[in-house]
Amino acid sequence: MKKLLIATNNKGKVKELRDLLKVLNVQLVTPADLNLNLEVEEDGETYAENAEKKARAFAQASGLVSLADDSGLEVDALDGAPGLHSARYAPPLTLSPNSGNLGGARGGWTDSDRRAYMLENLRGKPRPWTAHFHATIAVAFDGKVEFAEGDCYGEIIPEERGNNGFGYDPIFFIPELNQTMAELDMETKNRISHRANAARNALPVLKKIFEG
Ligand code: IMP
């Protein structure tokens, strides 16, 4: 059976992408399945640049068609921050409040630290704190790359709600559903999320690659 590599080490993304891509007639594999230990530096200036970099690096290392997602949360009251830097959003080189580790690097901070830091930066700013998630998917195959994009709109709320998902989900509220992203079951998140919209937009390309 043909294989598609889900080119990310983020467990939250892997779980969602596995579900979103199960309609394809391919075997979905992860870097862990292949014992592939690859950290790609995300130093691009756009989501597309970072997604392409990750997809190409994993495709080259594995020889498989590889799909990478670069995503982020853009908060209007923070002028679009943290955006591209969502995974690394943290005050520079101070003690991390929850993990007790040195901050600054992605590994030293927890998702919970990042949410607390965002709320600290929003304190005193008028609500609603409108925001949207963005995802760009890159699919690398035969030395080429194709892209697909998706968004999801909502607002940041000052208290955490729900235990599902990952990252900023507990403080990302979707007014139409009256729930945060972390209160949604995976089926619902995978119907409405930025990653779901991007994956849906990527399906024609993937079908063409695998089904001709
Ligand atoms: P990257 O794509 O590896 O640069 O990481 C994107 C970062 O954006 C994640 O580490 C999360 O902090 C955040 N993010 C992206 N998608 C989601 C989501 O679906 N829920 C919550 N946070 C997300």
Side-chain angles (χ1 to χ4, degrees):
M1 196 178 188
K2 291 171 192 163
K3 290 181 183 174
L4 170 63
L5 176 62
I6 300 177
T8 177
N9 299 313
N10 178 321
K11 292 199 178 82
K13 286 188 187 179
V14 165
K15 208 166 146 199
E16 290 177 16
L17 286 165
R18 265 196 189 288
D19 185 63
L20 287 165
L21 300 170
K22 68 184 180 204
V23 294
L24 291 168
N25 192 21
V26 293
Q27 186 186 347
L28 299 170
V29 293
T30 65
D33 295 333
L34 304 176
N35 281 323
L36 193 59
N37 218 331
L38 202 59
E39 272 292 335
V40 181
E41 201 190 343
E42 295 178 31
D43 55 2
E45 285 178 12
T46 61
Y47 293 103
E49 270 182 51
N50 283 339
E52 173 168 1
K53 200 172 171 199
K54 289 187 265 187
R56 279 195 189 278
F58 278 92
Q60 200 161 29
S62 65
L64 299 176
V65 177
S66 298
L67 179 150
D69 144 295
D70 198 62
S71 45
L73 174 60
E74 306 193 0
V75 182
D76 297 323
L78 301 177
D79 295 326
L84 206 57
H85 309 291
S86 295
R88 299 172 293 281
Y89 186 57
L93 286 172
T94 55
L95 277 180
S96 152
N98 293 321
S99 62
N101 294 331
L102 260 190
R106 181 192 286 229
W109 291 82
T110 64
D111 282 349
S112 164
D113 292 335
R114 294 182 212 294
R115 295 192 295 271
Y117 181 54
M118 176 172 290
L119 294 180
E120 202 180 302
N121 287 336
L122 281 168
R123 204 185 306 139
K125 295 194 190 284
R127 289 180 67 189
W129 297 326
T130 52
H132 70 278
F133 277 114
H134 177 82
T136 297
I137 281 178
V139 181
F141 62 105
D142 292 342
K144 291 178 279 194
V145 179
E146 295 274 357
F147 297 96
E149 299 195 293
D151 293 288
C152 179
Y153 288 81
E155 65 182 80
I156 305 301
I157 53 166
E159 68 290 334
E160 305 210 345
R161 280 172 47 177
N163 298 306
N164 301 332
F166 66 99
Y168 300 93
D169 283 348
I171 54 170
F172 187 84
F173 181 74
I174 302 152
E176 296 78 41
L177 300 178
N178 197 25
Q179 283 181 308
T180 66
M181 203 82 125
E183 290 177 306
L184 304 181
D185 55 35
M186 185 151 83
E187 195 191 324
T188 311
K189 182 173 178 187
N190 272 351
R191 206 157 31 78
I192 58 115
S193 82
H194 48 308
R195 193 165 298 100
N197 290 326
R200 252 190 302 278
N201 290 335
L203 281 179
V205 167
L206 291 163
K207 287 195 170 141
K208 204 161 157 199
I209 294 170
F210 289 109
E211 294 163 19

